[in-house]
Amino acid sequence: LSFLSSFGLVYGVPVLKRFLGWMPDMLAESTIVTMAAFIITAPLIIHYFGTISVIAIVANFLVIPTIAYVMALGVLLLLIPGFLEFVTTCISCTVWLPLEYFISVVELLSALPFASVDIQPGGMMLTVGLYAVILFGILRFFPDENKKITYLGL
């Protein structure tokens, strides 16, 4: 999934920007990045788990602003020696609120009755077919000025 998400970010984001360029920058960036990762990983998630989250894009949009802050402070906590207990406690306390928000959003949205939809996996052929459609869309709509995928021979 990580490889596919990265592929979606590199090749899917420019395609989605062509269609969602009308959105305000602040809203567009997180929405487009989330949608690109979601679209490229959805067939594999359906194939292996038989379910898809209907609210994933909304949930990601709500929690993404907290991730950079939490990760930065987490790295800082790793770098501070353990004997500076007061400093690490203070930093840990500042991480608590964004983490509590993150967890609350995930719990609230996942408890909604329509949060996910069970989909009967259609086997490997359906998964390959969905990826063929996605790849066709990327090849067809990838911005010409950034033609990075010409090495595929298409």
Side-chain angles (χ1 to χ4, degrees):
L1 288 176
S2 296
F3 171 78
L4 285 173
S5 292
S6 298
F7 184 88
L9 295 178
V10 171
Y11 295 109
V13 167
V15 172
L16 291 174
K17 279 184 179 179
R18 289 183 74 174
F19 295 100
L20 300 174
W22 53 267
M23 295 175 79
D25 287 343
M26 188 173 138
L27 178 65
E29 181 152 350
S30 58
T31 303
I32 290 170
V33 166
T34 300
M35 286 178 68
F38 179 82
I39 290 168
I40 202 75
T41 57
L44 197 61
I45 291 170
I46 292 169
H47 178 78
Y48 281 106
F49 303 110
T51 187
I52 196 73
S53 174
V54 177
I55 52 122
I57 293 173
V58 173
N60 283 338
F61 182 76
L62 292 172
V63 299
I64 281 175
T66 64
I67 293 173
Y69 177 76
V70 169
M71 288 179 66
L73 288 178
V75 168
L76 183 61
L77 283 169
L78 289 173
L79 298 175
I80 296 174
F83 62 85
L84 297 174
E85 187 176 334
F86 176 75
V87 175
T88 57
T89 300
C90 291
I91 294 172
S92 297
C93 288
T94 63
V95 176
W96 174 82
L97 186 60
L99 283 175
E100 187 64 30
Y101 167 77
F102 186 102
I103 292 167
S104 297
V105 167
V106 170
E107 287 177 345
L108 175 74
L109 292 178
S110 65
L112 295 173
F114 58 86
S116 65
V117 175
D118 291 333
I119 299 173
Q120 290 298 337
M124 185 57 78
M125 291 305 294
L126 178 62
T127 304
V128 170
L130 289 172
Y131 278 116
V133 170
I134 292 169
L135 184 60
F136 173 78
I138 289 172
L139 292 171
R140 171 68 178 88
F141 296 107
F142 198 80
D144 292 333
E145 67 273 2
N146 294 326
K147 210 54 151 163
K148 294 179 184 175
I149 49 180
T150 55
Y151 65 88
L152 292 174
L154 303 170

